[in-house]
Amino acid sequence: MEEFSRIKRLPPYVFQVVNELKMKLRRAGDDIVDLGMGNPDIPTPKHIVDKLIEAAQNGRNHRYSASAGIPKLRLAFANWWQRRYGVELDPDVEVVATMGAKDALAHLVLAIVNPGDVVFVPSPTYPIHPYSVVIAGGDLRHIPISPDKDFFEDLKAAARLTWPLPKILIISFPHNPTTMVVDQDFFKRIVEFAHEYKIMIVHDFAYADLTYDGYQAPSFLSVPGAKEVGIETFSLSKSYSMAGWRVGCAAGNPQMINALKRLKSYIDYGMFQPIQIAAIIALNENQDCVLEIVSEYKDRRDALCSGLIDCGWPVTPPKGTMFVWAEIPEQFRHMGSLEFSKLMTEEAKVAVSPGIGFGPFGDEHVRFALVENRMRINQAIRGIRHFMSKPECISKAQEIPVAQAVSV
């Protein structure tokens, strides 16, 4: 059979290397603390589950649903933006419910990107952001993002050097994996940039609620003129710990939303209707459950960061997301993030995500996901402390040449 060109453009999934090693060690009897994949372990709040059960027992909800989401769910999403950020949205033409934010991003890009269209994406970043462009046949350009770089300076420099002009900029704040956060002035500059260069903006707002230490994440759509140039996606996966339920949405520019709705109408019939009904309850009813979930992540963040610092691994506690983005300790940095992650899994018994999996500018970091309880995080810290003080681990790291890390 001939090779499939679209699949051929997708590289091997780097995270799978660490996952396979983790499973191999577990089968051999090792207890691996998995802080790799950002897969929330906190149960979905009971009142949301109860509504799902009630709705599932009604046979009328077992039929095909609407690919754009039932009207009351789209209205609930619109009300969420209005209540939280003062953003007015027409649920009929400016909101579409999706099977998680990943569905919204992947299918929106497929709908509006033509082969060869230039799309700017930060690096490092969440994999679906760049690979949605690859799948659509677009021309992907990486813009480096880190606390020691001026993102706008790099963004404008890239735009001046690009012809034809970029069609889309995909961003996400609070940012996965770097945990960077921004203020509303940042989004004002983004809207100005979009108007100047006639570019569409896609903002992934998956971590809207997961913020700490008094920081509140602004919505891109709250900036005047934002709906003229772009859309924002949101997901119930993190805020309500509903990752497996696959409920999200896209909202904003009517033309972009219409393109997504039309494409999805050919692809799916929407989510199972009882899930949509339960999602309405999640969005509309008491939000104390969100505060409790955020408090749990903050407690885990504090435990992990203080533990790493005590081990001699300096990190900055993030103000957003459910991750800690950690620069690899200097004595191991030459290995690159994949080899270091493998060594961590074998010697510390802690699985983390290699930074290279998030893009070419992520290779000096690893990402910790706060998806284990505090007791397990403390266990991970004990393993890391042992690993970092073990002479044979440092010796093993020194045996790995720099060239090997670069070629991964």
Side-chain angles (χ1 to χ4, degrees), residues 5 8 73 92 113 115 132 144 160-161 171 177 179 223 252 267 317 407:
S5 59
K8 191 177 178 183
L73 177 57
D92 292 327
V113 171
S132 63
R160 286 193 295 268
L161 295 172
I171 51 176
T179 74
V223 174
I267 292 173
S407 66

Side-chain angles (χ1 to χ4, degrees), residues 39-70:
N39 190 4
D41 66 311
I42 301 170
T44 304
K46 184 178 182 299
H47 70 285
I48 302 172
V49 177
D50 288 345
K51 191 63 181 182
L52 170 70
I53 294 169
E54 177 191 320
Q57 290 173 335
N58 186 338
R60 289 179 299 178
N61 291 325
H62 297 179
R63 305 178 70 184
Y64 289 131
S65 188
S67 66
I70 59 177

